Amino acid sequence: MIAIAIVRTKDLLAVVMLTGIYGLLSASFFVVLDAVDVAFTEAAVGAGISGLLMLAAITMTGRAEAPKRHKPLLALLVVFVTGGMLIYGTLDMPYFGSFDAPIHQHVAPRYINDSMQEVGVPNIVTSVLASYRAFDTLGEVAVIFTAGIGVLSLLSLPRRRRSSQLDESSKDQMHEQHMVLRIISKILIPFILLFALYVQFHGDFGPGGGFQAGVIFAAAIILYAMLFGLETARRVFNQSIIQLIAAIGLLLYASVGVVSLFNGGNFLDYNVLAQDPIAGQHLGILLIELGVGCTVTAVMIIIFFNFAGRREAQQHSTKQNSHELNSTDQSCTELKEAE
Amino acid sequence: MMLLGLYNYWIVVMLMMIGFYIVIAHGNLIKKLVGLTIFQTSVFIFYISMGNVDSGSAPILAEGVARYSNPLPHVLILTAIVVGIATTALGLALVVRIKESYGSIEEHEIQIQDQLTEDKT
């Protein structure tokens, strides 16, 4: 229903708010479907970061959508025909929740029954992600890294270009107005960071892991950047160091694979990393989750800093928008608290 | 009664078609990206709902739990979400650059401008 509202709304700002709600709803939906790890990620990404990035983009591109000039009848027809065919296709699908469906027959039983002996990690999602399908995950981290580079090359600005006093003072004034938010966020940020670290290192035993921790960590830093100004955040988190961290994360991941090659195993075969295979698996998973966490955090921060930096350089009349940024941010914080 | 067991797929198809409709019927590039996001989420829901098992529990090994949800779709979707946000950000970055060089993010206005420059050359 929210999706339908998104179709109808012309005001892009409202669309983005609705996307946030949509992300939160789908996160709770994932909890209902027993996918806790996924819900985690979706809550931080769908309801937090993606909305923020879209807001940042909208402040640069304007928030009104032009009215349509042509009738969307053709599009509707195409959509209905495709949808009808897809629904016809579902008639042969296994029923929802049935356990003799083909998807549960193939490799899943091995993961569920043997992962404790082979990997020794209670969270099956983590053991599949980091051990059985580590090569996939390496590829995905590489994709994230590449996307980060892409944003960097598209949006990065020559550094230290603007230093107008007037701009600086107006920003200060703007941030004075959000005293309550700033104080509360100052209290909250350490807890969010701590929570992210917990999610990072406890991912073997409970829901969590590098991807989730990465986005939560990045969200905390973005919150800081938003409330205390980009300049302050830039001073605290040096951009070139963050770019380095993104690369190091990916390298750490790949080098774990290379080390296991040198130790006589296959690429990313952790059994050979230590004397005891289980200990090797633990070490391998810990290291590559760390790599994933580093890369994801760094790339998210790079993306946000570049969007926000571009915006500040472009427009100075963003007071009104920053109000809205703060309010989404607060909901994003509340969300993390709820978790 | 028989067909009601398939309702999860129908929800997915509905969401997918809504996203698809936004992508093809709207000219605004950001709106198109939102549409793509909805489409993407529908695929996520599709995978996760396939992995779900009646009276199953979350795939974290524990004492006294006999049946777990299928962990494989969870892994795939978990990474897909983060990759999705990274690629969406890349798309938004492209939109921002388009806005800078064309002064608009409406598809038809961009096409008109392209036409004009082609006529000139």
Side-chain angles (χ1 to χ4, degrees):
Chain A
M1 247 172 289
I2 285 181
I4 293 171
I6 291 176
V7 181
R8 301 302 312 168
T9 320
K10 286 269 184 290
D11 187 349
L12 287 176
L13 181 70
V15 169
V16 172
M17 293 300 159
L18 287 172
T19 339
I21 299 171
Y22 178 74
L24 187 57
L25 275 183
S26 44
S28 39
F29 187 66
F30 291 146
V31 175
V32 174
L33 290 176
D34 296 328
V36 276
D37 285 278
V38 182
F40 236 121
T41 326
E42 176 70 21
V45 167
I49 294 179
S50 80
L52 283 179
L53 289 180
M54 282 181 181
L55 278 178
I58 285 174
T59 55
M60 283 184 272
T61 55
R63 54 186 276 190
E65 186 188 11
K68 281 194 292 283
R69 295 178 312 159
H70 55 90
K71 292 270 181 220
L73 269 181
L74 183 65
L76 261 184
L77 186 73
V78 171
V79 163
F80 270 108
V81 169
T82 326
M85 271 152 66
L86 282 175
I87 288 195
Y88 177 69
T90 63
L91 294 183
D92 289 336
M93 296 290 275
Y95 291 141
F96 177 58
S98 65
F99 35 80
D100 49 356
I103 185 176
H104 304 306
Q105 308 298 328
H106 190 47
V107 286
R110 163 144 183 226
Y111 292 152
I112 292 173
N113 297 326
D114 300 343
S115 70
M116 199 60 193
Q117 284 88 48
E118 288 178 0
V119 184
V121 166
N123 187 350
I124 308 174
V125 173
T126 304
S127 61
V128 176
L129 178 100
S131 185
Y132 290 110
R133 304 186 69 90
F135 201 65
D136 275 17
T137 313
L138 177 62
E140 269 141 3
V141 176
V143 170
I144 294 169
F145 182 64
T146 318
I149 295 177
V151 171
L152 201 62
S153 60
L154 281 171
L155 290 186
S156 71
L157 288 168
R159 227 165 280 169
R160 301 269 162 271
R161 210 191 51 186
R162 89 213 119 77
S163 55
S164 75
Q165 291 290 322
L166 195 137
D167 190 26
E168 204 61 39
S169 63
S170 73
K171 239 187 310 177
D172 279 348
Q173 199 184 14
M174 180 185 88
H175 289 120
E176 284 297 311
Q177 292 168 357
H178 302 296
M179 213 39 160
V180 176
L181 279 180
R182 294 178 75 178
I183 291 172
I184 289 177
S185 68
K186 236 180 191 164
I187 300 169
L188 279 180
I189 285 173
F191 287 106
I192 299 176
L193 292 180
L194 196 64
F195 179 63
L197 286 178
Y198 167 77
V199 168
Q200 168 85 51
F201 293 110
H202 200 257
D204 302 1
F205 306 100
F211 283 99
Q212 296 93 321
V215 285
I216 294 172
F217 213 90
I221 292 172
I222 290 171
L223 172 70
Y224 179 82
M226 227 152 13
L227 288 177
F228 295 88
L230 201 62
E231 279 304 305
T232 331
R234 278 240 172 87
R235 275 202 292 277
V236 179
F237 309 99
N238 190 325
Q239 279 242 286
S240 42
I241 291 180
I242 288 174
Q243 287 161 19
L244 202 64
I245 290 175
I248 285 176
L250 187 57
L251 275 179
L252 179 66
Y253 195 140
S255 54
V256 170
V258 175
V259 166
S260 58
L261 267 185
F262 282 136
N263 281 6
N266 289 326
F267 189 64
L268 291 170
D269 179 6
Y270 311 134
N271 284 347
V272 292
L273 285 182
Q275 293 291 316
D276 177 27
I278 296 289
Q281 290 281 355
H282 272 293
L283 182 65
I285 288 177
L286 192 72
L287 283 177
I288 71 149
E289 290 275 23
L290 195 63
V292 170
C294 284
T295 305
V296 171
T297 313
V299 167
M300 292 297 153
I301 295 171
I302 288 174
I303 290 173
F304 176 77
F305 273 13
N306 278 299
F307 268 98
R310 189 116 191 149
R311 190 197 64 200
E312 280 197 355
Q314 246 180 16
Q315 300 180 340
H316 299 292
S317 60
T318 51
K319 275 188 187 176
Q320 168 203 3
N321 291 316
S322 73
H323 277 279
E324 287 136 9
L325 277 177
N326 285 329
S327 63
T328 4
D329 197 57
Q330 202 183 23
S331 63
C332 148
T333 321
E334 280 165 8
L335 194 146
K336 254 170 257 117
E337 284 298 289
E339 280 179 0
Chain B
M1 182 55 223
M2 288 279 283
L3 288 179
L4 275 183
L6 297 168
Y7 70 94
N8 62 323
Y9 302 115
W10 298 346
I11 294 170
V12 167
V13 169
M14 256 166 53
L15 284 175
M16 198 180 269
M17 286 306 114
I18 289 169
F20 186 37
Y21 174 77
I22 296 178
V23 173
I24 56 179
H26 285 255
N28 188 301
L29 293 177
I30 290 195
K31 198 73 174 280
K32 273 182 194 285
L33 276 176
V34 172
L36 269 184
T37 318
I38 293 176
F39 197 105
Q40 208 178 20
T41 317
S42 79
V43 177
F44 298 162
I45 294 175
F46 178 56
Y47 268 64
I48 298 295
S49 69
M50 280 207 303
N52 188 45
V53 178
D54 277 339
S55 69
S57 131
I60 296 170
L61 295 172
E63 294 282 319
V65 181
R67 190 178 284 155
Y68 298 99
S69 287
N70 194 336
L72 189 56
H74 297 186
V75 174
L76 299 178
I77 295 314
L78 172 64
T79 52
I81 290 176
V82 183
V83 170
I85 179 69
T87 47
T88 308
L90 192 63
L92 286 172
L94 281 173
V95 171
V96 168
R97 289 305 294 262
I98 288 172
K99 168 76 178 178
E100 280 174 7
S101 53
Y102 285 91
S104 162
I105 51 167
E106 299 292 334
E107 210 170 37
H108 59 94
E109 290 173 16
I110 293 171
Q111 272 169 351
I112 291 169
Q113 287 193 24
D114 272 349
Q115 214 89 71
L116 284 178
T117 46
E118 261 174 44
D119 290 347
K120 269 181 207 158
T121 49

